Amino acid sequence: MKEELTTCNSCINENCFIKKHIHLEQMKSYIDKKRSFICKKSQQFIIEGAPIQGLYFIHKGKVKTVKTGINGREQIVRLTKDGDTVGFRGFGTSKRYLIGAYALEDTVLCNFSNTDMLEILHNVPEFTFDLMLFYAEELNKSENNIRKIAQMNVRERVIDTLLYIHRKFGQLNGVIELDLSRKEIADFAGTTDEQVIRVISSLKKELLIKTVGKKIGLLNTDKLKSEIKEHK
């Protein structure tokens, strides 16, 4: 991965944990120690089971976080974009990453080492409090996802995934601004490639979505939302 110079003070990601706290005097010395680099599309920068190397913050780009399941199949557990945090699962409680992470496009990442992150948590109470709330929210999301996967049928899971991606990344020129293969959609929805292809074909015939290459655009979000409203 190629080193890249990023400056926290000029960063526009207001949702980034570091950006939110750069006004604090205690943060200045840690920001100077930050590493930043470019991760090319499809490149893995966190290996599941590898020693933890601190936390990553996305300066610009998109990332998928994965967990290995039965028979070695990877389940996508999180999709992230500019300003999001990656690598927090297991941080502080484990010496190894509990997930893997890949860049979905050329992505600029900022990294703070284990030592610096632990010092921040000990010395910057405001940062620690906000991170605690973040963990609580992520736990709530994980529990809701487990419930939905257990209760939804395949069509509902695919619709829920498409709505989530649409909400997270938005649409440009009528298609969602995220390049995901049918396999990746299946890995996120907890189903198979074949089932995803069938559901997408059905949704197209019903004029609820459209496809441009492998990109997908939602044509009727209200109708799609109504199909899964009982699970919300």
Side-chain angles (χ1 to χ4, degrees), residues 23 44-45:
H23 65 283
Q44 185 173 15
F45 62 93

Side-chain angles (χ1 to χ4, degrees), residues 132-173:
M132 180 189 71
L133 295 181
F134 169 75
Y135 269 98
E137 178 63 21
E138 286 299 314
L139 177 60
N140 183 52
K141 289 177 183 177
S142 295
E143 290 175 343
N144 284 337
N145 285 336
I146 291 171
R147 175 183 55 80
K148 286 191 295 185
I149 288 175
Q151 296 178 353
M152 286 180 169
N153 59 38
V154 172
R155 178 184 168 100
E156 289 170 336
R157 292 205 299 273
V158 173
I159 289 174
D160 185 59
T161 297
L162 294 178
L163 286 170
Y164 166 77
I165 296 170
H166 176 268
R167 185 169 62 252
K168 178 82 176 180
F169 298 97
Q171 288 199 165
L172 181 66
N173 298 323

Side-chain angles (χ1 to χ4, degrees), residues 23-39:
H23 65 283
L24 299 173
E25 186 67 29
Q26 309 101 300
M27 289 294 294
K28 292 181 179 178
S29 62
Y30 300 112
I31 289 171
D32 291 339
K33 299 177 185 178
K34 176 196 72 176
R35 291 175 56 242
S36 53
F37 50 88
I38 297 175
C39 187

Side-chain angles (χ1 to χ4, degrees), residues 15-142:
N15 61 317
C16 173
F17 269 109
I18 303 301
K19 176 68 174 181
K20 284 180 181 178
H21 298 90
I22 59 172
H23 65 283
L24 299 173
E25 186 67 29
Q26 309 101 300
M27 289 294 294
K28 292 181 179 178
S29 62
Y30 300 112
I31 289 171
D32 291 339
K33 299 177 185 178
K34 176 196 72 176
R35 291 175 56 242
S36 53
F37 50 88
I38 297 175
C39 187
K40 292 294 186 179
K41 181 178 180 179
S42 301
Q43 188 174 3
Q44 185 173 15
F45 62 93
I46 293 179
I47 299 173
E48 186 176 351
I52 287 181
Q53 302 294 325
L55 294 184
Y56 294 86
F57 302 86
I58 302 175
H59 179 72
K60 183 175 177 59
K62 300 179 179 70
V63 168
K64 68 175 180 180
T65 302
V66 302
K67 181 78 174 172
T68 304
I70 298 173
N71 298 323
R73 175 160 182 167
E74 288 184 341
Q75 173 78 36
I76 297 178
V77 294
R78 197 162 175 256
L79 294 168
T80 45
K81 61 177 183 176
D82 301 3
D84 286 339
T85 307
V86 183
F88 59 88
R89 291 174 185 266
F91 176 76
T93 61
S94 174
K95 293 183 179 181
R96 298 187 178 276
Y97 284 116
L98 303 180
I99 50 82
Y102 298 81
L104 289 169
E105 62 185 31
D106 289 356
T107 298
V108 180
L109 297 162
C110 299
N111 173 256
F112 287 76
S113 70
N114 290 337
T115 300
D116 289 339
M117 284 307 309
L118 290 173
E119 284 187 17
I120 291 172
L121 293 176
H122 278 106
N123 299 325
V124 189
E126 187 176 332
F127 185 98
T128 305
F129 178 76
D130 286 345
L131 190 63
M132 180 189 71
L133 295 181
F134 169 75
Y135 269 98
E137 178 63 21
E138 286 299 314
L139 177 60
N140 183 52
K141 289 177 183 177
S142 295

